[in-house]
């Protein structure tokens, strides 16, 4: 990074960290295990919901939860990063929707939750990844589905899982220079 | 040609004002909230119109009576003009509070319309107008009272786990 304006280097670090947080959201929404795993260092610790343990074990659980969902969306905002060399702490907000099956009634329901991820990031071999995460819940509610026409839309116009979702075709096309 | 790196830094600093504003409201942090406004700043929240210090007292008092508060900020559009800047910032609020003794969830969204000023190199809010775009109010279940859930539920300063973030994961190594 020699020769780069240190102000620009700090902005780049914040951007790289924010994109890890966005990749986490995509990993959940698309049930993309490789994307999700790539957000965490192998020794990262995790404390979120009813899970306490290694982040890579949490990834297995998150994929098992998200893959069967009819719909799933995580939004990340309010990314506040404090940089300290090759280490950083970050608070970001999340808002999530899961269209799931109620275990008791067997009926579909919408689960809405908002909260925050408190993360320690570490840069190793030039790459920022999460080294420890706590997930905090600020808001949640369950409601019966109330959509009208969404599921009548054609395939490809409704969010899908990895690798069927359109983003993977677009990314492949860019990589192949099309 | 102005310095594009400085413009990015200015926009980042201004965006972080709104993030600190939301953190201050959500964690009930009066000092942090006061620090995002200039002391001669002003605020128009419709039901409150007045000076920034008076707004801080008013909103902290209001929110301290609520069960939980969470604000997301997105779509931050900033127009720089020297030591002045103008911003539109979307907000989505998730509030839980009692109505007639029963917990309710209010979901609301709107925008902050801001005027910022840079003084001695520091950006702060000179004026904020809060516009509301939509709102819903529905009966809620307060899951935070479940002991199994309470440990990782959002809390106010200094009880929220945010205030231990610098030690996060260190003890586990």
């Amino acid at each position: 990074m020699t020769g780069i304006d240190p102000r620009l280097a700090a902005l780049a670090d914040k951007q790289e960290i924010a994109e890890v947080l966005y990749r986490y959201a995509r990993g959940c929404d698309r049930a993309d295990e490789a994307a999700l795993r790539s957000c965490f260092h192998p020794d990262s610790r995790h404390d979120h919901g009813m899970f306490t343990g290694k982040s890579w074990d949490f990834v297995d659980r998150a994929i098992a939860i998200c893959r069967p969902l009819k719909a799933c969306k995580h939004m990340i905002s309010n990314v506040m990063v404090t940089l300290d060399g090759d280490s950083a702490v970050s608070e970001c907000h999340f808002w999530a929707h899961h269209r799931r099956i109620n275990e008791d009634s067997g009926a579909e329901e919408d689960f809405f939750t908002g909260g925050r991820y408190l993360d320690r990031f570490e840069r190793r071999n030039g790459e920022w990844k999460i080294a420890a995460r706590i997930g905090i819940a600020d808001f949640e509610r369950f409601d019966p589905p109330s959509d009208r026409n969404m599921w009548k839309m054609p395939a490809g116009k409704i969010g899908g899982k990895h690798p069927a979702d359109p983003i993977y075709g677009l990314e492949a096309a860019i990589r192949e220079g099309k | 040609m102005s310095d594009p790196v400085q413009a990015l830094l200015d926009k980042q600093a201004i965006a972080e004002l709104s993030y600190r504003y939301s953190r201050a409201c959500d964690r009930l942090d009066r000092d942090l909230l006061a620090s995002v406004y200039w002391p001669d700043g002003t605020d128009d929240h419709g039901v409150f119109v007045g000076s920034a210090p008076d707004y801080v007292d008013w909103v902290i008092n209001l929110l301290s009576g609520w069960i939980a508060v969470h604000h997301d900020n997105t779509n931050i559009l900033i127009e720089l003009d020297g030591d002045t800047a103008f911003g539109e910032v979307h907000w989505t609020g998730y509030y839980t509070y009692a109505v007639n003794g029963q917990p309710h969830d209010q979901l609301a969204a709107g925008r902050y319309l801001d005027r910022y000023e840079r003084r001695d190199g520091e950006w702060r809010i000179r004026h904020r107008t809060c516009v509301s775009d939509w709102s819903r109010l529905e009966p809620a279940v307060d899951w935070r009272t479940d002991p199994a859930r309470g440990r990782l539920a959002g809390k106010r300063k200094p009880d929220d786990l945010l205030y231990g973030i610098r030690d996060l994961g260190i003890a586990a190594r």
Side-chain angles (χ1 to χ4, degrees):
Chain A
M1 295 289 275
T2 53
I4 292 181
D5 184 335
R7 301 172 306 163
L8 196 53
L11 282 172
D13 287 341
K14 287 187 177 184
Q15 181 67 25
E16 287 175 27
I17 287 169
E19 290 183 11
V20 171
L21 300 169
Y22 300 153
R23 195 161 76 236
Y24 174 87
R26 178 189 283 180
C28 292
D29 295 351
R30 308 278 80 78
D32 183 341
E33 183 183 339
L36 208 49
R37 202 170 295 283
S38 74
C39 299
F40 301 97
H41 289 299
D43 58 346
S44 174
R45 303 292 300 178
H46 220 91
D47 190 3
H48 182 190
M50 297 301 171
F51 180 90
T52 303
K54 291 180 67 174
S55 294
W56 278 16
D57 291 336
F58 179 85
V59 167
D60 295 336
R61 176 172 297 201
I63 292 293
I65 291 170
C66 291
R67 200 188 301 278
L69 295 173
K70 186 175 179 183
C72 176
K73 180 171 171 64
H74 291 74
M75 294 199 293
I76 302 292
S77 65
N78 298 55
V79 179
M80 272 180 285
V81 176
T82 304
L83 297 166
D84 183 17
D86 287 328
S87 183
V89 292
S90 161
E91 181 191 38
C92 75
H93 291 205
F94 68 84
W95 178 96
H97 162 259
H98 292 187
R99 170 64 61 87
R100 41 170 269 169
I101 303 294
N102 182 291
E103 289 176 5
D104 297 324
S105 68
E108 287 189 358
E109 65 183 1
D110 282 328
F111 169 51
F112 299 99
T113 181
R116 288 164 289 133
Y117 298 124
L118 306 180
D119 294 320
R120 166 172 295 281
F121 274 84
E122 289 181 7
R123 178 165 49 194
R124 301 180 193 169
N125 302 317
E127 199 169 5
W128 286 104
K129 292 188 179 189
I130 297 165
R133 161 164 287 191
I134 297 177
I136 303 284
D138 286 332
F139 177 90
E140 74 172 34
R141 61 178 294 119
F142 296 87
D143 285 306
S146 60
D147 50 275
R148 290 183 180 165
N149 296 314
M150 175 171 166
W151 300 102
K152 297 174 187 165
M153 285 193 282
K157 299 288 168 47
I158 296 175
K161 308 298 186 201
H162 177 266
D165 189 87
I167 184 61
Y168 296 103
L170 288 169
E171 284 192 337
I174 288 171
R175 275 197 300 274
E176 291 160 15
K178 290 175 183 168
Chain B
M1 177 67 189
S2 59
D3 177 359
V5 174
Q6 188 59 47
L8 281 173
L9 289 165
D10 290 341
K11 289 184 177 183
Q12 180 70 26
I14 289 169
E16 290 182 9
L17 287 174
S18 284
Y19 301 155
R20 282 159 52 204
Y21 173 95
S22 292
R23 176 187 279 177
C25 289
D26 297 356
R27 307 276 80 73
L28 272 187
D29 187 337
R30 180 189 301 267
D31 293 342
L32 183 64
L33 189 57
S35 77
V36 303
Y37 291 93
W38 288 116
D40 59 346
T42 50
D43 193 287
D44 181 356
H45 258 69
V47 287
F48 174 93
V49 184
S51 75
D54 287 346
Y55 170 71
V56 170
D57 287 341
W58 177 83
V59 76
I60 290 289
N61 181 59
L62 173 75
L63 298 179
S64 65
W66 292 5
I67 296 167
V69 182
H70 176 97
H71 289 88
D72 290 339
N73 298 114
T74 60
N75 299 54
I76 300 175
L77 272 179
I78 294 160
E79 184 185 332
L80 299 168
D81 183 15
D83 288 328
T84 301
F86 304 93
E88 181 187 36
V89 178
H90 287 218
W91 58 266
T92 306
Y94 308 85
Y95 313 119
T96 305
Y97 53 83
V99 178
N100 296 325
Q102 297 300 315
H104 280 64
D105 289 330
Q106 185 183 7
L107 278 72
R111 288 160 291 129
Y112 301 124
L113 305 178
D114 294 333
R115 176 190 180 95
Y116 311 98
E117 287 182 10
R118 177 168 50 192
R119 303 178 187 173
D120 294 328
E122 182 182 3
W123 288 102
R124 292 196 191 192
I125 298 168
R126 175 65 177 79
H127 177 80
R128 166 160 281 188
T129 293
C130 178
V131 177
S132 292
D133 289 325
W134 61 264
S135 175
R136 294 176 63 92
L137 182 67
E138 295 177 280
V141 174
D142 187 13
W143 49 273
R144 297 169 191 83
T145 54
D146 175 354
R149 304 290 315 280
R151 185 177 66 86
L152 294 181
K155 298 178 179 63
R156 269 61 186 272
K157 189 179 183 181
D159 299 320
D160 192 86
L161 290 169
L162 169 67
Y163 301 101
I165 193 170
R166 289 176 186 281
D167 300 321
L168 181 58
I170 298 297
R173 293 286 172 78

